[in-house]
């Protein structure tokens, strides 16, 4: 299958921004990963603006029907905000102005109160996150959305690491991303995935030194 070019462009962009790094990194699962994706380093106006255009592109290309965006606190807040701006400017949206909302982590007992900020949660809601590791933040978001009487429509993430969940001696057949999709019956749309990282490693001789380690990691943990 030919990968859409925005996927490869996003991997390149993440490398240029220092968000995607190769080396040895201990990840949440305890595994030593030959690469790490640190979305927190999209931390300037220009880079967050570009990131948001990639999210908007992936969402429009996915054909998921949606009414609004939800960004789980804290990291999802700028992601949902910036992606709503990018969607408003996306030619595929026909000028639609997409509302967004986010939650507070602390309940406020004065002023406007409540845990939700932004547009009222209604209709089909896309949850935006950076990576899914254990799926905890997705579960909380789904609960918030359902409690408000709206429906989760999809989860939109930046990178799908495509790796099996569970401990080394009892690896699951599925990834955390697949588990989320199955558990909630909604698609998980990613801008890019490990497949796109590997394609770049294959095609860019300057990155050749990292090929073997990433290939071996995928053989061991990949779905
Ligand atoms: P949450 O959004 O709170 O789940 O945080 C994401 C988690 O994924 C953080 O603990 C990160 O350290 C971790 N993470 C990445 O952000 N990028 C990766 O490439 C891999 C991980 C990971 O630890 O699996």
């Amino acid at each position: 299958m030919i990968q859409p070019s925005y996927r490869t462009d996003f991997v390149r962009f993440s490398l240029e921004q220092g968000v995607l790094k190769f080396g040895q990194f201990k990840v949440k699962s305890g595994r030593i990963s030959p690469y790490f994706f640190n979305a927190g380093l999209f931390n300037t106006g220009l880079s967050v603006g570009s990131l948001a255009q990639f999210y908007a592109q992936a969402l429009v290309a996915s054909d998921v029907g949606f009414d609004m965006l939800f960004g789980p606190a804290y990291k999802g807040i700028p992601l949902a905000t910036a992606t709503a701006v990018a969607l408003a400017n996306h030619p595929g949206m026909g000028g639609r102005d997409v509302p967004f909302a986010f939650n507070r982590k602390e309940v406020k007992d004065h002023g406007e109160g409540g845990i939700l900020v932004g547009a009222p949660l209604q209709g089909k809601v896309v949850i935006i996150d950076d990576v899914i590791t254990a799926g905890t933040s997705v579960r909380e978001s789904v609960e918030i959305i359902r409690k408000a009487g709206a429906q989760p429509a999809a989860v939109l993430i930046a990178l799908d690491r495509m790796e099996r969940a569970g401990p080394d001696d009892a690896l699951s057949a599925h990834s955390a991303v697949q588990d989320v999709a199955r558990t909630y019956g909604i698609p998980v749309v990613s801008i890019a995935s490990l497949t796109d990282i590997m394609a770049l490693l294959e095609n860019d001789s300057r990155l050749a030194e990292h090929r073997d380690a990433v290939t071996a990691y995928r053989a061991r943990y990949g779905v």
Side-chain angles (χ1 to χ4, degrees):
M1 190 181 102
I2 297 172
Q3 301 292 336
S5 72
Y6 70 81
R7 292 177 154 266
T8 317
D9 292 347
F10 180 66
V11 177
R12 276 194 195 285
F13 171 63
S14 302
L15 258 179
E16 284 161 16
Q17 296 292 317
V19 166
L20 175 63
K21 286 200 171 77
F22 296 102
Q24 286 200 318
F25 306 91
K26 187 163 183 182
V27 291
K28 217 171 181 175
S29 58
R31 297 171 193 165
I32 305 297
S33 168
Y35 73 96
F36 196 80
F37 182 84
N38 183 357
L41 296 177
F42 289 120
N43 55 14
T44 66
L46 203 56
S47 68
V48 169
S50 299
L51 169 65
Q53 284 178 4
F54 282 112
Y55 274 118
Q57 180 60 39
L59 185 55
V60 170
S62 74
D63 286 331
V64 164
F66 64 96
D67 298 305
M68 63 179 294
L69 308 177
F70 177 75
Y74 295 101
K75 278 189 292 182
I77 297 174
L79 300 180
T81 311
T83 302
V85 176
L87 284 169
N89 293 312
H90 193 290
M93 292 295 291
R96 236 178 88 197
D97 190 14
V98 175
F100 66 95
F102 55 87
N103 63 311
R104 299 177 202 281
K105 287 214 179 188
E106 310 78 15
V107 181
K108 238 173 108 172
D109 58 3
H110 62 279
E112 68 272 39
I115 65 154
L116 287 168
V117 187
L121 273 176
Q122 53 195 20
K124 298 187 197 123
V125 184
V126 172
I127 300 161
I128 304 200
D129 217 332
D130 51 0
V131 288
I132 293 178
T133 41
T136 320
S137 118
V138 175
R139 193 187 65 230
E140 287 168 6
S141 300
V142 166
E143 283 168 7
I144 291 169
I145 291 165
R146 288 191 176 146
K147 207 171 147 195
Q151 304 102 47
V155 184
L156 177 62
I157 56 173
L159 181 74
D160 181 358
R161 293 181 50 99
M162 298 175 72
E163 62 188 81
R164 296 164 74 179
D168 272 19
D169 55 357
L171 282 178
S172 160
H174 304 111
S175 68
V177 163
Q178 290 170 328
D179 286 339
V180 161
R182 248 186 357 169
T183 305
Y184 304 110
I186 53 176
V188 177
V189 176
S190 64
I191 305 173
S193 71
L194 178 56
T195 302
D196 305 300
I197 293 179
M198 293 198 58
L200 187 66
L201 291 177
E202 283 305 319
N203 295 325
D204 190 332
S205 56
R206 289 165 302 179
L207 298 171
E209 61 180 303
H210 305 297
R211 273 180 211 154
D212 289 353
V214 177
T215 304
Y217 188 81
R218 186 174 196 174
R220 179 156 182 201
Y221 295 113
V223 283

